[in-house]
Amino acid sequence: MKSAVETLNPTRVRLTVEVPFEELKPSLDAAYKKINQQVTVKGFRKGKIPARVIDQRFGRGAVLEEAVNDALPKFYTEAVNEAELNVLGQPEVDITELKDGETLNFTAEVDIRPAIEIPDYSGIEVEVDAIEVTDEDIAKAVEELRERFASTSPVERAAQDGDVLTLDLEAKVDGEVLEDGVASAVSYTIGSGELLEGIDEAVKGLEAGAEATFTSELKGGSAAGKEAEVTVKVSQVASRELPELDDDFAQLASEFDTLDELKDDSRKRLANMKQYDQATQAQERVLEKLLELVEVPVPDKLLEDEINTRKHNLEHHQLGQMGLTLDKYLEIQGKTAEEFDSETKEAALKGIKTQFVLDELVSKEKLNVNQEELTEHLMRRAASSGMSPDQFAQAVVEGGQVPMLVGEVARGKALAVVVESATVKDTNGEVVDLDDEDEEETVTEAAAEPSESAEAKSDASDQS
């Protein structure tokens, strides 16, 4: 077999392959054997029909077609490996010549990962928010904890802001009560915004036993997005009572003996959260600077697939779970379809470029992933997915996604190398020394899902 490569553009090549006919013999033998098992000819036992009889009865062309279909993937893969191409997705194959007994010639056009030159990134400088925990931050955190320990007691008066009501609800659309539009004994805090728009105005001023009707757009269910006439009946009004902010509260709500100790712990927790946010901000801004330094051509088909994948996942998974259509989502976001398409394309482009650049860094820096790193990443992904580690690991193995997880960890390590070499200062001008463990965790998460289509296409090409 002989092959040659023609570069069509930085992300696409054409392979020209010439195969001597004798190299087709294994596939021809397999074709005759396969046809032998599928057909019957009077006078011959099944599987024992001579090749010349098959040629006479069914045509040599049918045998050649079967043989070529069997052989093409092998010859294509050999040509790709010989040229050391990093292909993306499936090729467009065209058989240019097939002469029985002489030769098989074909071409294959396929997208490839572009050659990327990683420049010196040691001079990258970024600015992040300073870690500042104010007295107001502490007061807010303690107040939120206090809210969680509030008690309620029934009152015989009209409902007002902050009260906890027990409600019965009935929703009608076009005068018909919805099958899933009836609910009883629903607990609702006035002002929480957890139910329907307009319900606060409807229930304020009502006492137990009273009811009101209002119009609201349904957020979910069978009539999501439609205007409904909602009747709400109050069966109980209860006031919320907050505990006193004292040492007794600290002992009730925490392991601490005094309110001052509780506040000190809140300050430490908030500082840790802000430190994590600072590390995340640093890696995001370092990544942006890195992408600005590198020229990354992107295959048109890959970009199109990535855009479609993101749209599909949003529309059929995320929005579907919330009972929203794409049009309704855009209305809520205040975006036009054109703005949404532009933002999706920009995000898809960034995702693909991120993966290409970080993968190149993995190769350049000769980074490897050990079992401990893979296990830690799997545990984090399992936690974010809501699955147990065992369930998530089983799903990953059954779906053939282990290489994808390895790639995520490797790209995280590559970005960690760049972050480590960058100069990071906060808004006060102080140099930020990012904790290695926090840094690696945040960069791994940031690099985890830059481009689903690029990952999938790369995996597919590895298996071709």
Side-chain angles (χ1 to χ4, degrees), residues 47-67:
K48 299 296 184 179
I49 308 170
R52 58 180 176 75
V53 175
I54 290 177
D55 289 346
Q56 291 169 356
R57 289 294 186 91
F58 306 102
R60 175 71 167 177
V63 180
L64 287 174
E65 181 179 358
E66 181 68 36

Side-chain angles (χ1 to χ4, degrees), residues 145 149 243-263:
L145 183 61
F149 284 85
E244 292 293 328
L245 280 178
D246 52 24
D247 292 345
D248 289 339
F249 167 70
Q251 294 167 23
L252 171 69
S254 70
E255 70 271 30
F256 302 106
D257 294 327
T258 68
L259 184 60
D260 286 341
E261 289 175 338
L262 174 60
K263 288 182 178 180

Side-chain angles (χ1 to χ4, degrees), residues 3-105:
S3 65
V5 180
E6 177 188 356
T7 300
L8 303 178
N9 61 49
T11 63
R12 194 166 179 83
V13 297
R14 179 188 293 121
L15 285 163
T16 301
V17 183
E18 297 179 10
V19 182
F21 204 80
E22 57 266 22
E23 294 187 30
L24 272 177
K25 188 177 185 308
S27 294
L28 274 171
D29 292 342
Y32 279 116
K33 185 175 181 180
K34 182 176 180 180
I35 294 173
N36 242 308
Q37 300 300 323
Q38 294 175 339
V39 302
T40 57
V41 176
K42 190 175 181 179
F44 296 94
R45 285 182 295 164
K46 195 175 185 67
K48 299 296 184 179
I49 308 170
R52 58 180 176 75
V53 175
I54 290 177
D55 289 346
Q56 291 169 356
R57 289 294 186 91
F58 306 102
R60 175 71 167 177
V63 180
L64 287 174
E65 181 179 358
E66 181 68 36
V68 169
N69 288 339
D70 175 73
L72 273 178
K74 179 176 73 75
F75 292 128
Y76 165 73
T77 301
E78 286 181 9
V80 166
N81 293 338
E82 185 178 288
E84 298 182 344
L85 297 175
N86 196 340
V87 299
L88 297 168
Q90 298 302 316
E92 294 179 7
V93 177
D94 181 27
I95 298 174
T96 55
E97 186 175 25
L98 176 57
K99 289 185 177 180
D100 194 358
E102 294 183 25
T103 186
L104 164 66
N105 298 336

Side-chain angles (χ1 to χ4, degrees), residues 5 17 53 83 126 145 150 154 166 177 267 283 365 404 430 448 462:
V5 180
V17 183
V53 175
V126 297
L145 183 61
T166 303
V177 178
R267 186 179 296 276
Q283 54 87 11
E365 301 292 345
M404 183 187 74
E430 298 292 330
D462 290 342

Side-chain angles (χ1 to χ4, degrees), residues 308-327:
N308 291 336
T309 297
R310 288 172 181 256
K311 284 183 177 180
H312 178 85
N313 288 343
L314 173 66
E315 191 168 1
H316 296 282
H317 297 295
Q318 296 162 264
L319 298 183
Q321 291 175 358
M322 295 186 287
L324 292 175
T325 64
L326 180 58
D327 289 342

Side-chain angles (χ1 to χ4, degrees), residues 354-355 357-370 373-374 377 380 402-418 440 443-448 450 455:
T354 296
Q355 182 168 320
V357 170
L358 294 184
D359 284 348
E360 183 65 27
L361 268 169
V362 169
S363 176
K364 179 181 179 181
E365 301 292 345
K366 297 180 172 57
L367 301 175
N368 296 310
V369 177
N370 60 42
E373 292 166 336
L374 182 60
H377 182 56
R380 287 196 294 268
V402 174
M404 183 187 74
L405 284 188
V406 173
E408 291 175 358
V409 178
R411 285 191 285 274
K413 294 180 71 172
L415 184 51
V417 169
V418 183
E440 185 162 327
V443 296
T444 300
E445 295 306 312
E455 187 78 58

Side-chain angles (χ1 to χ4, degrees), residues 38-286:
Q38 294 175 339
V39 302
T40 57
V41 176
K42 190 175 181 179
F44 296 94
R45 285 182 295 164
K46 195 175 185 67
K48 299 296 184 179
I49 308 170
R52 58 180 176 75
V53 175
I54 290 177
D55 289 346
Q56 291 169 356
R57 289 294 186 91
F58 306 102
R60 175 71 167 177
V63 180
L64 287 174
E65 181 179 358
E66 181 68 36
V68 169
N69 288 339
D70 175 73
L72 273 178
K74 179 176 73 75
F75 292 128
Y76 165 73
T77 301
E78 286 181 9
V80 166
N81 293 338
E82 185 178 288
E84 298 182 344
L85 297 175
N86 196 340
V87 299
L88 297 168
Q90 298 302 316
E92 294 179 7
V93 177
D94 181 27
I95 298 174
T96 55
E97 186 175 25
L98 176 57
K99 289 185 177 180
D100 194 358
E102 294 183 25
T103 186
L104 164 66
N105 298 336
F106 69 92
T107 62
E109 288 191 17
V110 66
D111 287 330
I112 60 169
R113 281 182 178 248
I116 298 174
E117 186 68 34
I118 303 293
D120 179 18
Y121 48 77
S122 61
I124 290 178
E125 295 186 12
V126 297
E127 184 180 73
V128 296
D129 295 335
I131 297 176
E132 296 177 354
V133 180
T134 65
D135 291 341
E136 289 76 12
D137 293 331
I138 305 301
K140 181 180 178 183
V142 172
E143 188 62 25
E144 288 175 353
L145 183 61
R146 187 183 178 206
E147 290 278 349
R148 286 166 50 193
F149 284 85
S151 60
T152 60
S153 57
V155 292
E156 295 182 4
R157 60 164 171 76
Q160 59 190 33
D161 278 332
D163 283 345
V164 180
L165 309 183
T166 303
L167 308 173
D168 296 330
L169 299 162
E170 181 183 82
K172 294 180 180 180
V173 173
D174 298 328
E176 296 291 331
V177 178
L178 299 171
E179 289 186 10
D180 55 353
V182 178
S184 301
V186 176
S187 180
Y188 176 67
T189 302
I190 298 179
S192 67
E194 294 174 350
L195 282 178
L196 298 168
E197 187 175 344
I199 193 170
D200 287 345
E201 292 75 10
V203 298
K204 282 182 189 177
L206 297 184
E207 297 184 11
E211 65 179 49
T213 300
F214 65 100
T215 301
S216 183
E217 184 179 293
L218 299 178
K219 294 181 180 179
S222 62
K226 293 185 179 180
E227 289 288 327
E229 183 182 84
V230 182
T231 299
V232 55
K233 182 177 181 180
V234 180
S235 56
Q236 179 180 278
V237 178
S239 64
R240 299 179 76 250
E241 298 175 4
L242 298 174
E244 292 293 328
L245 280 178
D246 52 24
D247 292 345
D248 289 339
F249 167 70
Q251 294 167 23
L252 171 69
S254 70
E255 70 271 30
F256 302 106
D257 294 327
T258 68
L259 184 60
D260 286 341
E261 289 175 338
L262 174 60
K263 288 182 178 180
D264 287 342
D265 182 69
S266 295
R267 186 179 296 276
K268 291 176 184 176
R269 289 175 182 272
L270 288 171
N272 287 337
M273 290 172 58
K274 287 179 179 284
Q275 186 176 26
Y276 183 87
D277 291 343
Q278 187 186 64
T280 301
Q281 191 178 63
Q283 54 87 11
E284 288 175 348
R285 294 183 178 179
V286 168

